[in-house]
């Protein structure tokens, strides 16, 4: 069936009061950007509603894009027809049949007559439309409390709009409405999921990755770029900062006792990430930590690691178990990339007996033998920044060095 429009329903925007228009504008901009591959599709807002006008673009393909757009709670395909009773009845019949997909079931008609000059009242149109549909579809019954399909008919000044099927959206806030944050992206399963959840709350995402060649190879780096490209599909472009981490990591490996090495390495990562964020006016960091999952994610370890930063550190996965994270990683299509067997800097020099309850005072004492500021500044100065567009293999390199 050919549809003319898609009616977009907002997620949590209804609670935004005076800021609602700002959120609506951002959502419309995000939808337009996501639909660039469908140039005939146009968006417009009217009477507190948002529509996508298909103009011949395939509904199925456009709906797949809308399903992954944060800020949309649900959407429905819409038929637009002339303000004539017979045409409205026929459109309601076609929408009901298409929504039931030949299965039969129950339905209900809800008419809103916004155009008061339309000669037939809402209640009468309800009855006439329902009767027309009921006579033409086999195995169909009326259920006004819990119908399988509720057919909405809106009679406006310019036309009548008829919709039935409701398709669930991604929910959350439009990306770009909650500020910018920097994700520590390792290449494992957890951090991409953390980035996805942050974007769902409206965050514009940038990512930072620590690269330690020759101990980590180009395939490991490419894997992280691929993960960033997958995330970019949910929220537009993602800027990825690649940190040269070999010198710092070797110094830590040489100076720090093996069982405290992970704690100190993560403290350096946070210092470098915070400085990178500060130089880009980013207000928060994000990581993929889940409480108790590994040695560096006990409360004692988090306390010792977190001590080096005053910037908000968001942990979207903190209460999730591994199976929940894996399920979500599969759903957003990062899992298969994350499990590719290329080592990142977190898995090299991994001691067999990492401290699960490190003492902050001892960590600070061990670090006192390292030139902390020198290592941090050198790492930040050597950052390479690329912009990921959501298409694997395509990237734009920034010449600027932070």
């Amino acid at each position: 069936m050919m549809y003319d429009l898609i009616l977009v329903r907002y997620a949590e925007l209804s609670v935004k009061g005076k800021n609602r228009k700002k959120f609506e504008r951002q959502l419309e901009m995000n939808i337009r950007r996501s639909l660039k591959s469908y140039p005939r599709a146009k968006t417009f807002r009217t009477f507190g509603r948002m529509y996508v006008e298909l103009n011949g673009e395939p509904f199925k393909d456009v709906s797949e894009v809308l399903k992954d757009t944060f800020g949309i709670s649900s959407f429905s395909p819409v038929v637009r027809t002339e303000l004539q009773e017979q045409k409205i009845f026929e459109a309601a019949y076609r929408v009901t049949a298409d929504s039931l997909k030949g299965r039969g079931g129950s339905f209900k008609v809800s008419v809103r007559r916004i155009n008061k000059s339309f000669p037939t009242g809402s209640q009468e149109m309800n009855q006439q439309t329902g009767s027309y549909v009921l006579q033409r579809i086999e195995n169909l019954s009326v259920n006004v409390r819990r119908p399988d399909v509720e057919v909405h008919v809106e009679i406006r000044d310019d036309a009548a709009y008829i919709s039935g099927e409701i398709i669930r959206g991604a929910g959350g806030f439009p990306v770009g409405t909650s500020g910018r944050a920097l994700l520590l992206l390792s290449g494992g399963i957890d951090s991409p999921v953390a980035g996805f959840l942050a974007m769902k709350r409206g965050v514009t995402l940038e990512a930072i990755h620590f690269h330690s060649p020759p101990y980590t190879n180009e395939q490991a780096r490419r894997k992280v770029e691929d993960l960033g490209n997958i995330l970019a599909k949910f929220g537009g472009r993602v800027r990825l900062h690649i940190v040269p981490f070999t010198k710092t990591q070797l110094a830590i490996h040489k100076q720090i006792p093996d069982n405290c090495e992970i704690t100190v390495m993560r403290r350096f990562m946070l210092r470098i990430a915070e400085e990178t964020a500060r130089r880009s006016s980013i207000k928060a960091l994000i990581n993929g930590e889940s409480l108790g999952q590994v040695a560096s994610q006990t409360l004692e370890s988090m306390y010792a690691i977190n001590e080096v930063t005053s910037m908000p550190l968001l942990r979207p996965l903190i209460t999730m178990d591994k199976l929940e994270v894996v399920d979500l990683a599969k759903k957003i299509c990062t899992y298969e990339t994350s499990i590719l067997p290329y080592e990142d800097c977190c898995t090299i020099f991994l001691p067999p007996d990492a401290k699960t309850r490190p003492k902050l005072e001892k960590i600070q004492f061990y670090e006192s033998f390292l030139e902390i500021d020198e290592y941090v500044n050198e790492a930040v100065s050597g950052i390479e920044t690329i912009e990921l567009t959501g298409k694997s293999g395509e990237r734009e390199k920034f010449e600027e060095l932070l």
Side-chain angles (χ1 to χ4, degrees):
M1 179 176 176
M2 287 290 291
Y3 286 99
D4 304 299
L5 301 167
I6 297 176
L7 166 62
V8 175
R9 301 180 186 86
Y10 310 139
E12 300 175 57
L13 275 60
S14 59
V15 301
K16 285 301 174 185
K18 293 181 180 177
N19 290 323
R20 177 174 171 139
K21 285 189 177 178
K22 171 189 166 189
F23 281 72
E24 288 179 353
R25 282 196 298 270
Q26 185 66 52
L27 176 59
E28 186 175 15
M29 191 167 68
N30 292 351
I31 291 174
R32 285 177 177 169
R33 184 179 57 222
S34 301
L35 292 177
K36 269 189 175 178
S37 300
Y38 305 95
R40 288 175 294 175
K42 306 294 181 187
T43 62
F44 66 93
R45 289 181 283 147
T46 178
F47 303 108
R49 301 277 181 93
M50 188 180 297
Y51 291 93
V52 176
E53 193 161 22
L54 291 169
N55 294 315
E57 297 289 4
F59 166 73
K60 186 177 179 183
D61 293 353
V62 172
S63 69
E64 289 300 315
V65 174
L66 295 182
K67 282 179 184 175
D68 290 334
T69 303
F70 293 125
I72 297 176
S73 68
S74 66
F75 56 93
S76 295
V78 176
V79 171
R80 180 169 49 194
T81 189
E82 295 174 41
L83 291 172
Q84 297 178 19
E85 289 185 359
Q86 191 60 36
K87 294 200 178 220
I88 294 172
F89 299 156
E90 183 62 23
Y93 155 65
R94 289 189 288 120
V95 166
T96 307
D98 191 60
S99 299
L100 290 170
K101 304 187 186 310
R103 296 191 299 266
S106 60
F107 84 119
K108 169 186 177 183
V109 177
S110 298
V111 175
R112 288 182 68 204
R113 191 174 61 106
I114 298 164
N115 178 359
K116 299 303 180 188
S117 64
F118 189 77
T120 311
S122 298
Q123 192 58 35
E124 194 176 348
M125 278 298 291
N126 257 333
Q127 295 168 355
Q128 292 183 15
T129 307
S131 175
Y132 186 93
V133 173
L134 195 58
Q135 293 172 29
R136 283 162 177 76
I137 299 178
E138 294 183 356
N139 302 318
L140 184 65
S141 61
V142 176
N143 186 335
V144 296
R145 294 186 180 276
R146 300 185 64 182
D148 295 320
V149 175
E150 182 171 0
V151 180
H152 296 272
V153 179
E154 284 197 2
I155 300 172
R156 296 184 176 274
D157 291 340
D158 61 327
Y161 297 80
I162 297 96
S163 63
E165 183 181 10
I166 296 176
I167 301 166
R168 188 171 179 180
F173 293 132
V175 171
T177 57
S178 297
R180 295 158 62 220
L182 184 64
L183 169 70
L184 281 76
L185 185 60
S186 69
I189 295 172
D190 300 337
S191 54
V193 176
F196 169 83
L197 291 175
M199 285 195 290
K200 186 175 182 179
R201 302 311 297 168
V203 167
T204 297
L205 201 67
E206 296 198 17
I208 186 168
H209 176 70
F210 296 86
H211 190 44
S212 294
Y215 304 99
T216 59
N217 57 31
E218 281 302 307
Q219 290 170 309
R221 174 177 161 153
R222 173 59 65 182
K223 170 182 165 181
V224 170
E225 292 179 12
D226 288 343
L227 289 169
N229 270 315
I230 295 173
L231 292 176
K233 293 175 183 173
F234 297 99
R237 295 168 183 248
V238 172
R239 295 182 79 185
L240 174 63
H241 307 276
I242 307 287
V243 179
F245 199 50
T246 309
K247 184 176 179 180
T248 305
Q249 194 164 12
L250 286 174
I252 294 169
H253 186 57
K254 181 179 178 182
Q255 182 65 45
I256 305 298
D258 288 352
N259 59 2
C260 293
E261 198 171 327
I262 291 292
T263 304
V264 173
M265 184 182 72
R266 292 196 178 278
R267 283 165 61 92
F268 269 84
M269 287 178 168
L270 273 192
R271 290 185 178 105
I272 294 167
E274 183 184 46
E275 180 60 19
T276 304
R278 190 184 64 76
R279 295 187 185 191
S280 298
S281 301
I282 292 173
K283 304 301 183 190
L285 305 176
I286 305 166
N287 70 19
E289 290 179 342
S290 171
L291 185 59
Q293 189 176 112
V294 294
S296 64
Q297 295 175 19
T298 63
L299 280 180
E300 290 83 357
S301 289
M302 289 183 189
Y303 175 76
I305 294 168
N306 221 121
E307 188 258 349
V308 300
T309 179
S310 58
M311 190 168 279
L313 178 56
L314 311 182
R315 297 180 171 93
L317 312 185
I318 194 66
T319 62
M320 296 174 69
D321 64 35
K322 195 66 179 182
L323 289 179
E324 291 173 313
V325 177
V326 167
D327 285 346
L328 190 48
K330 290 178 178 175
K331 185 178 177 183
I332 64 175
C333 301
T334 56
Y335 179 77
E336 293 299 329
T337 303
S338 289
I339 62 173
L340 292 174
Y342 308 129
E343 282 198 312
D344 59 49
C345 69
C346 297
T347 56
I348 59 176
F349 309 138
L350 197 63
D353 58 342
K355 283 269 187 188
T356 57
R357 292 179 170 78
K359 301 293 185 188
L360 178 59
E361 297 75 15
K362 283 191 175 179
I363 297 297
Q364 291 171 330
F365 172 74
Y366 296 143
E367 281 186 349
S368 67
F369 298 97
L370 292 168
E371 297 293 337
I372 294 174
D373 291 344
E374 182 180 321
Y375 285 116
V376 170
N377 289 330
E378 186 173 337
V380 174
S381 298
I383 282 177
E384 176 191 355
T385 299
I386 59 177
E387 189 155 322
L388 305 173
T389 62
K391 296 178 182 176
S392 189
E394 291 187 11
R395 61 179 187 174
E396 297 173 14
K397 183 175 179 179
F398 283 76
E399 298 300 331
E400 65 179 273
L401 295 178
L402 297 177

